[in-house]
Amino acid sequence: MSRSLRHGALAATALVFSIATLSACGAGNDAQTLQVRPDNAATAVDSIKIQNLNIITQPEPDAEGPAVISATLFNDGTKREVVERVTLPGTDTTVELKAAKGKGPLVVPAGGRVVIGGKNNASAVIENGRQAGAAGNVQTVAFTFSETGEIELGAAIVPATGFFEDFGPSALPSAKPTPSDSETPGEQSESPSGAEGAEPGTEETEPGTASETETGTQTDDAAADH
């Protein structure tokens, strides 16, 4: 066999071996491990799975305002799970939970899922976003479920920019009135009163002037008579 034929046979054998290896892995019990996983915190305890967990803060590091928690909760069990509370261990901050419809508890139905964060989804709001931590750090988040109990895992803290912009907190609270703005109404209210004060003074002066003129005229007439 020539050298070129031997090289071709070896290359073909290597290709067949590679295909066979990949096929065997894909057909195995751990085929799901080949799927692309999100680069976010995820865990599973009993029938509950938590994926894509993040804490999303204001876009600017020095901005005041709330932060939010985003996550997807899966329930593979036969009973519904109620998210009773969400906390940040080691901090004094509170997390306000709201269902997607704004009323009732946050429920993960049996065999279903709940998305927290984003438009028309359930929400978990941290009122003081600074208490959540600085962007780039990791903060522990604890979910307490009615059946499974408490589950803790670390969440990456990210600003509401780029991909996370649509999942971030609502717009910043409106700015408080500045001193100049608060003084404007006072200045406007003083102007009418000042103008009114000037007009009566003018009217008082005019009658006085007329009286003096008439008095002088009468005096001159009396002198002429004499």
Side-chain angles (χ1 to χ4, degrees), residues 97-194:
L97 295 176
K98 285 187 178 180
K101 295 183 179 180
K103 295 182 179 180
L106 183 55
V107 177
V108 188
R113 68 172 183 173
V114 165
V115 178
I116 300 176
K119 187 177 180 180
N120 299 325
N121 295 325
S123 64
V125 180
I126 304 168
E127 183 177 356
N128 186 350
R130 289 181 175 271
Q131 293 183 348
N137 294 339
V138 175
Q139 170 64 51
T140 301
V141 180
F143 294 83
T144 301
F145 296 88
S146 57
E147 298 293 332
T148 305
E150 186 176 278
I151 300 176
E152 290 187 0
L153 69 162
I157 303 175
V158 296
T161 58
F163 173 81
F164 297 101
E165 183 176 359
D166 294 336
F167 297 91
S170 58
L172 290 173
S174 57
K176 295 181 180 179
T178 60
S180 58
D181 294 337
S182 61
E183 291 174 358
T184 302
E187 294 174 354
Q188 292 177 350
S189 62
E190 291 174 359
S191 298
S193 61

Side-chain angles (χ1 to χ4, degrees), residues 39-42 50-59 65-72 86-91 93-95 116-118 124-143 153-161 163-165 167-169:
D39 189 20
N40 301 115
I50 303 174
Q51 293 184 356
N52 303 332
L53 175 63
N54 290 285
I55 295 176
I56 307 175
T57 62
Q58 296 291 332
V68 296
I69 295 174
S70 66
T72 304
V86 177
T87 59
L88 305 182
T91 71
T93 187
T94 57
V95 181
I116 300 176
V125 180
I126 304 168
E127 183 177 356
N128 186 350
R130 289 181 175 271
Q131 293 183 348
N137 294 339
V138 175
Q139 170 64 51
T140 301
V141 180
F143 294 83
L153 69 162
I157 303 175
V158 296
T161 58
F163 173 81
F164 297 101
E165 183 176 359
F167 297 91

